[in-house]
Amino acid sequence: ARSLVQGHLDVPANVAGIEGFEIDGKTQIYFGIGPAIMRLPFSGISNVFDRRLSLLSELLALSVLGLAAARLLKRAKSLVANAPEGSAWWFGAFAVVATLGTPLLFFASRALVYHEAELWGAAAGLAGLDLVIRWWRVPTRRHLIEAVALATFALSCRPSTGAAPAMALGLFGLALAWKREWRRSLLVLAGAVIPFLGFALV
């Protein structure tokens, strides 16, 4: 975050440790900038919060992931014909299982940038899938922009856990092409590529 405030992406070698690699005498890390962007209001201007935000960020990501899992289940249920009625209790139980019943709980137990990136990638990925399905059901420009924005953030956290929304947009874009809705298809496919281009650019 402090590097971003100073206008560059390279970090001190002692910060990166074994995760760093040297290019033209500068140390880079392969982690995305998503978690760093969230830290800008704190770590970007002061060192008071150094090494004090990771666990809080991880717990917040775990909470977002649980909420996103429940919302995604509810959204997916609306896509299934004759789906059984489900009470709020079931969605809450699903959120608990998605957080406390997976390795993600272990990720939230240690203040490591690797764990934080994985958690935010997964949380933003599930929330992004929810927005993609919302756009598919109610295809407004605003819904598409929000889905692309969250897909971009998810991928910028960790591609291995955050790529799903961008991939889903790509699949929906291909589905529109199959229906010969060329203009909408191109727009959605462009939206699917933006998160990957953003990550590649960084």
Side-chain angles (χ1 to χ4, degrees):
R2 196 163 296 119
S3 295
L4 288 175
V5 168
Q6 295 168 359
H8 57 84
L9 291 172
D10 57 282
V11 298
N14 64 327
V15 171
I18 62 170
E19 303 290 354
F21 52 95
E22 190 175 311
I23 296 179
D24 297 331
K26 296 179 179 179
T27 302
Q28 308 287 345
I29 54 175
Y30 67 89
F31 292 106
I33 62 172
I37 290 172
M38 292 187 298
R39 278 183 165 73
L40 285 176
F42 308 105
S43 299
I45 56 175
S46 171
N47 61 3
V48 172
F49 296 101
D50 283 6
R51 303 180 190 277
R52 292 184 171 91
L53 295 176
S54 291
L55 280 177
L56 179 62
S57 176
E58 290 169 359
L59 289 173
L60 183 60
L62 200 62
S63 301
V64 169
L65 189 140
L67 179 61
R71 284 178 53 91
L72 184 59
L73 177 64
K74 189 173 183 180
R75 188 93 56 193
K77 182 178 168 292
S78 70
L79 298 175
V80 178
N82 301 318
E85 288 298 321
S87 66
W89 186 88
W90 283 106
F91 298 119
F94 187 71
V96 169
V97 170
T99 53
L100 304 183
T102 66
L104 297 173
L105 180 62
F106 168 74
F107 280 2
S109 68
R110 298 185 64 195
L112 295 174
V113 67
Y114 178 84
H115 291 185
E116 185 180 1
E118 289 283 357
L119 278 168
W120 274 113
L126 284 182
L129 282 174
D130 176 55
L131 293 186
V132 169
I133 295 174
R134 181 188 68 172
W135 160 79
W136 184 252
R137 299 282 289 177
V138 185
T140 66
R141 182 178 298 174
R142 177 183 170 188
H143 286 171
L144 180 60
I145 290 171
E146 289 174 350
V148 170
L150 198 48
T152 303
F153 175 73
L155 206 68
S156 77
C157 291
R158 186 75 175 164
S160 58
T161 57
M167 294 170 66
L169 278 171
L171 290 174
F172 281 130
L174 293 175
L176 290 171
W178 183 263
K179 294 179 177 181
R180 298 182 184 274
E181 297 182 33
W182 304 115
R183 185 171 177 275
R184 285 184 66 208
S185 173
L186 286 174
L187 185 65
V188 175
L189 288 172
V193 169
I194 287 173
F196 292 100
L197 287 179
F199 183 80
L201 179 65
V202 172

